[in-house]
Amino acid sequence: MQLEKQVHKPMHGTAKARGCAHARLGNFCKMFPKLPSWAKECGVTEQCVAEAVARAIGGVGGLMHDVRNESGDSGIPAGYTFFAQFVDHDITLDTTSPLHGKVDDDKIAHLPNLRSASLDLDCVYGLGPEAQPYMYDGAQPGRMHVGSSVGGVDNHDDVPRNASGRAMIGDPRNDENLFISQLQAMFLKFHNRRLVTSNFEKAQADTRYHYQWVVLYDFLKRVCHPDIYAFALPLIEGNAKGKKNVKKYPFCDILDHCKRICMPVEFSVAAFRFGHTMVRSTYPANGQYPLIELFDERFGTLGFGPVPPQLNVDWRLLLDMEDCHPYAKSKAIDHLLADELNRLPDPVVGRNTSTDDRALAFRNILRGHALGLASGQKVAAELKAKGYPINPKQNLEFDKIENWSCLTKDLPCDIAKCTPLFFYLMREAAVIGKGETLGPVGSALLLETFGTMYVYCSTFLKEKDWAPDPCVAGNGSMTLADMARYARG
Ligand code: HEM
């Protein structure tokens, strides 16, 4: 009964403004504060019209709902979907902005971000062993707890949990579904292996560096458009290493007056939500359970609860870990979201949640409206003006989307020329990225934001000649599969 009560509290995203506005590790901000919001540009002044547009695009049966399961696979192994979510939970958490409302422009820079906007793995380490000792094994200094024992069921491969099943981890959202929870456990194990013959601080730094390497050279390379990645990577490396004669990068300034990175809402509310389109409705867990639903009622895995031992994830089925071992791919990066994300379960969004608010694309579009995001076209033009090789007039073939004409009927603007940012970026991925990568505009938003982290924060790029341990990486350039293999032992 206690467990039942606890798991029905929403832990990921809020519908109403709530939470602790005083606790923060930084703030949100706008990358392009001078651009008009999409609503202003389109002439949408009333909340009910904005909600109707969000419903028509992102709601159940809307343009972004993959009702017939038609969106294909990308070439990206399915494990990267949860890695993307894991990275999101390392750098951004907004618990205070209202979904059905508006945040004035001058208030956005005061919105608290409850994660540090740097790749420091605070979602794993929390605030460290002194501040959050219950995540650490007091008997073995520096070791992180792994494994749960809830209701008489032991699972050594689960994340640590209290008696009622609540995960005791750095970010509660890393227990939102079975796969992100198992990825969290993988990082705990990775850290613990690095601790052998070391100490906490060294193992932590070393784990962070391996992770930052994978984000820069493996993950971003896979999900970003190749032209934009090739354009930005040498600028990131050169600026992070303080090389002379390299063009200054990033092009946008997202540092606050304390020189802390603020989290741009163009990234957190639109571009980095691209991972929502990579999510499939079903996944393999292991050889015994090769097909389970993301939220599977049969096993009670609806989020924020213990992982049944029989569902412990075999990452060989979701990552390119072994030659000749088939693995699932992520869904194509496009404008369609899997049916599973159109009816989010109670533990994720709360018990008394409307049908609209259970559709993730609806939330993304409406949250973008609440935070006054500009249209995709305006953002594209701005990025080009900053120096990115981008065509702001790219044809995204909106008229080829089924039921497109139903959306355009009663609007005061031409929505094909003035498109809500999240929808624009996902359509761009479908048409220009061909479902394999983000398009140029989405990629530039990612690389600007991550680039800022690599240039201004402590990362492996600042350490002279740091390279992944060959025991982790093998002979090639390290990938997420190498980290998973190493963590498995
Ligand atoms: C696997 C299933 C996933 C579920 C059920 C899920 C669910 C959610 C929900 C409910 C929100 C809050 C929405 C709002 O009210 O505005 C959210 C936010 C977000 N999601 Fe996901 N998500 C998933 C996967 C991903 C992935 C793969 C990514 C990767 C890139 C991602 C990136 C984000 C980001 C950046 C935010 C904003 C976080 C913040 O600033 O608070 N999510 N997600």
Side-chain angles (χ1 to χ4, degrees), residues 253-486:
D253 181 4
I254 51 168
L255 300 182
D256 66 15
H257 61 284
C258 304
K259 296 283 172 221
R260 282 183 314 191
I261 298 177
C262 77
M263 173 50 64
V265 285
E266 291 87 345
F267 174 93
S268 68
V269 180
F272 208 60
R273 297 194 182 199
F274 80 96
H276 291 165
T277 80
M278 293 168 81
V279 176
R280 311 160 58 91
S281 289
T282 57
Y283 287 96
N286 51 49
Q288 211 189 337
Y289 291 95
L291 196 70
I292 61 166
E293 286 178 16
L294 177 62
F295 301 110
D296 203 314
E297 305 234 0
R298 291 173 298 166
F299 305 101
T301 47
L302 299 182
F304 301 107
V307 171
Q310 74 270 29
L311 294 188
N312 284 341
V313 170
D314 179 349
W315 289 106
R316 290 175 305 173
L317 304 189
L318 289 103
L319 288 172
D320 43 354
M321 279 170 78
E322 288 177 3
D323 288 343
C324 308
H325 205 296
Y327 53 86
K329 308 276 173 48
S330 80
K331 194 187 87 47
I333 308 176
D334 59 16
H335 61 281
L336 293 169
L337 266 70
D339 187 51
E340 196 81 346
L341 296 183
N342 277 276
R343 39 190 171 79
L344 293 172
D346 290 353
V348 178
V349 283
R351 197 193 295 267
N352 299 316
T353 297
S354 68
T355 307
D356 282 342
D357 286 1
R358 284 177 191 273
L360 195 48
F362 171 82
R363 295 179 79 105
N364 293 343
I365 306 268
L366 199 59
R367 185 81 63 191
H369 172 259
L371 293 170
L373 293 189
S375 67
Q377 289 80 357
K378 282 268 188 287
V379 169
E382 202 70 10
L383 285 164
K384 174 161 176 62
K386 295 271 180 203
Y388 278 99
I390 277 173
N391 169 17
K393 299 232 154 59
Q394 55 191 355
N395 178 6
L396 299 187
E397 303 175 356
F398 288 108
D399 53 349
K400 292 201 178 143
I401 298 176
E402 199 179 335
N403 294 329
W404 174 253
S405 55
C406 304
L407 171 69
T408 54
K409 255 195 321 213
D410 301 320
L411 274 176
C413 71
D414 180 354
I415 201 159
K417 295 197 177 127
C418 173
T419 315
L421 187 58
F422 177 66
F423 186 44
Y424 176 97
L425 297 176
M426 298 308 108
R427 183 62 185 161
E428 183 199 38
V431 176
I432 314 284
K434 310 224 175 302
E436 293 295 335
T437 65
L438 283 160
V441 181
S443 306
L445 288 170
L446 255 61
L447 290 160
E448 270 295 309
T449 309
F450 283 112
T452 308
M453 297 175 198
Y454 283 98
V455 171
Y456 289 101
C457 300
S458 140
T459 66
F460 74 90
L461 285 178
K462 311 269 180 171
E463 298 285 335
K464 197 165 177 291
D465 300 330
W466 189 90
D469 182 350
C471 300
V472 180
N475 296 326
S477 179
M478 184 176 55
T479 68
L480 182 59
D482 293 316
M483 287 191 80
R485 192 182 303 112
Y486 183 85

Side-chain angles (χ1 to χ4, degrees), residues 129-149:
E130 280 85 21
Q132 290 181 289
Y134 48 85
M135 298 195 320
Y136 294 83
D137 182 347
Q140 302 179 69
R143 187 180 176 278
M144 306 210 64
H145 279 306
V146 189
S148 68
S149 181

Side-chain angles (χ1 to χ4, degrees), residues 97 218 298:
S97 76
D218 179 27
R298 291 173 298 166

